[in-house]
Amino acid sequence: MLPSVYIMTNHKRGTLYIGVTSNLAKRVYEHREGLTPGFTSQHGLKRLVWYEGFDHMPGAIAAEKRMKRWRREWKIELIEKENPEWRDLWFDLGPIPPSSQP
């Protein structure tokens, strides 16, 4: 798995959460199942609407920090450029390998 920056939401143009992870499928699974207490579980953010892979974690972390400072409108533009219907991209990731399951 590549390090990734990702955006989760509860519905189209809903509450947004930007995160970074070294295992996107596992992390999104944790959000969807409410296994991680915090912002995403409090707000019911279970829909993966955008992600980008990086070669190395430092680049992913820098991108996440930069994006967290963005205006909400910029984040929405980013999502809608690649995912105008706000589809749940979780289904595009495929099954979680057994070694990645929580």
Side-chain angles (χ1 to χ4, degrees):
M1 283 291 194
L2 291 174
S4 301
V5 176
Y6 62 95
I7 301 177
M8 302 289 296
T9 191
N10 47 1
H11 56 80
K12 186 173 184 174
R13 293 184 170 244
T15 303
L16 301 176
Y17 171 81
I18 297 175
V20 65
T21 183
S22 61
N23 187 331
L24 184 61
K26 179 180 178 185
R27 189 69 178 117
V28 173
Y29 174 83
E30 293 169 350
H31 288 307
R32 292 176 66 84
E33 298 299 316
L35 301 176
T36 307
F39 187 84
T40 57
S41 61
Q42 289 172 356
H43 295 276
L45 308 183
K46 297 177 184 244
R47 186 188 301 186
L48 174 67
V49 291
W50 181 89
Y51 64 93
E52 181 179 351
F54 289 79
D55 291 330
H56 304 286
M57 186 56 85
I61 292 169
E64 178 209 26
K65 287 180 180 180
R66 185 173 52 253
M67 290 173 67
K68 284 188 173 192
R69 292 190 304 263
W70 285 8
R71 300 176 73 136
R72 177 177 169 81
E73 297 84 37
W74 299 351
K75 297 170 191 175
I76 289 172
E77 285 178 24
L78 177 68
I79 294 164
E80 292 185 343
K81 180 179 177 186
E82 295 181 32
N83 186 5
E85 299 301 316
W86 292 63
R87 282 186 324 104
D88 189 349
L89 304 176
W90 161 255
F91 300 104
D92 297 348
L93 296 179
I96 302 174
S99 63
S100 297
Q101 291 181 2

